[in-house]
Amino acid sequence: MTLFKTRYILQNRTISQKKICLKNLNNEKLILLSPKNNSTAKKIQQKPGSKSVTLNIFERNESNHYLGLSYQLQPFAFLQVAQKLNTIAEGMLNSITLGQLVFLNDKWVLENPRYPDSRSHSYLSMQQCSFKLRIYSADTHTGLPKEDLCNEIIEVKNFNNRNITVNLKQYKIMVPKGDFFVAVEWIRNDENMSKTTYNDESIAFNITSYRPFIGISTNEGPKLNVYGLTFFDKWEPLDNLSPDFTDLTISAEISY
């Protein structure tokens, strides 16, 4: 409710009209009016507050299975993989954390040149990778990823972390109440390429895969929350994970 004085007219504002009998005024100087509903007014976006929550928390060092590697003699046949998350209210997506498999490039080095037998195992570097991060709303009919909630390209480059945390505050991504998706899109270039060799009856097969190799969570939920985008631009649930696994090592922090 808005309070207006009867003897003033506010400029640049729509004033509500109210009829009242003179005998009911009782010499009152103030009349309480209801503001006119303006359907063309812009909706105000909910501003993030101090309350935040992290969805799909996972143990960072317990994952032993990964997506993105070739399956037997078949290459991994998805362009993107998405984790479905659910939030109790609309909020701003602050960050995501992704667990991945990394391989160490290493060699034996001399610890002390004066003693040839004193060798140590030196880790030179971890394999680098880059990928695109995508945030989707959920289709209310199919439950699959639908609209991209960020109009900018979010490209992540990682060099040495098993667990990658990406700060997203600059993008001001608002996620709706209910289901939404956090997805990884593979960048298929030489920098991200890995080759796996399989031996079958003395014949070696080289299968190409692309990093990152995304961890599968040890947490087991009541339903499968992992979906893949095929080369035919179709989202489908990764049923081969069930019933042993239901989620990826992808968590999201949201503020309300």
Side-chain angles (χ1 to χ4, degrees):
M1 306 291 286
T2 305
L3 203 60
F4 296 96
K5 290 186 177 181
T6 58
R7 62 176 179 270
Y8 294 109
I9 296 177
L10 301 180
Q11 294 182 349
N12 300 324
R13 184 167 182 173
T14 302
I15 305 298
S16 299
Q17 296 180 353
K18 181 175 182 180
K19 295 180 180 180
I20 188 170
C21 295
L22 291 176
K23 65 179 181 179
N24 294 331
L25 286 176
N26 295 327
N27 295 320
E28 293 182 7
K29 295 182 180 180
L30 300 177
I31 302 175
L32 196 63
L33 298 178
S34 299
K36 182 179 179 180
N37 181 22
N38 187 356
S39 59
T40 62
K42 293 182 179 179
K43 294 182 180 180
I44 299 176
Q45 285 188 334
Q46 181 179 349
K47 295 183 179 180
S50 58
K51 181 180 178 182
S52 63
V53 63
T54 301
L55 308 176
N56 196 37
I57 297 175
F58 60 89
E59 294 294 332
R60 297 191 175 193
N61 298 317
E62 291 187 0
S63 178
N64 294 311
H65 298 83
Y66 300 88
L67 281 184
L69 292 160
S70 58
Y71 179 71
Q72 293 180 351
L73 298 181
Q74 299 297 323
F76 189 70
F78 294 95
L79 297 170
Q80 298 181 38
V81 67
Q83 167 72 36
K84 178 185 282 188
L85 301 169
N86 182 277
T87 179
I88 59 174
E90 181 187 34
M92 179 176 287
L93 185 58
N94 292 331
S95 65
I96 69 99
T97 298
L98 166 70
Q100 65 161 343
L101 174 66
V102 292
F103 294 97
L104 296 174
N105 299 318
D106 57 336
K107 69 176 183 179
W108 288 98
V109 296
L110 285 177
E111 202 169 67
N112 189 332
R114 296 179 60 184
Y115 302 97
D117 293 333
S118 62
R119 298 188 301 172
S120 63
H121 210 233
S122 174
Y123 295 117
L124 301 180
S125 64
M126 290 186 176
Q127 287 182 320
Q128 62 187 13
C129 74
S130 60
F131 61 91
K132 293 179 181 179
L133 193 63
R134 309 290 292 271
I135 313 297
Y136 295 105
S137 64
D139 190 298
T140 55
H141 299 290
T142 65
L144 299 174
K146 188 179 180 182
E147 296 178 350
D148 204 322
L149 297 178
C150 183
N151 57 8
E152 298 182 56
I153 297 175
I154 307 174
E155 185 170 334
V156 181
K157 293 186 177 181
N158 173 68
F159 295 92
N160 57 4
N161 293 322
R162 180 176 179 181
N163 297 285
I164 310 167
T165 297
V166 185
N167 190 328
L168 299 174
K169 291 182 180 180
Q170 62 176 311
Y171 299 101
K172 302 186 184 304
I173 303 170
M174 300 298 295
V175 294
K177 176 182 178 181
D179 293 334
F180 71 98
F181 293 86
V182 174
V184 169
E185 178 181 347
W186 278 277
I187 299 176
R188 295 173 178 268
N189 57 20
D190 293 340
E191 178 186 76
N192 296 318
M193 184 185 298
S194 290
K195 288 187 179 294
T196 306
T197 301
Y198 290 94
N199 293 313
D200 183 21
E201 296 181 356
S202 300
I203 299 176
F205 295 89
N206 289 319
I207 305 296
T208 299
S209 302
Y210 294 90
R211 297 184 295 274
F213 304 128
I214 303 166
I216 300 174
S217 176
T218 56
N219 301 329
E220 185 177 346
K223 60 180 181 179
L224 178 66
N225 296 308
V226 184
Y227 296 79
L229 180 66
T230 69
F231 285 91
F232 300 100
D233 201 31
K234 178 182 179 182
W235 286 100
E236 59 183 41
L238 296 188
D239 293 328
N240 59 315
L241 297 180
S242 301
D244 300 318
F245 304 103
T246 58
D247 295 273
L248 300 175
T249 54
I250 296 178
S251 64
E253 182 190 272
I254 298 176
S255 62
Y256 301 108

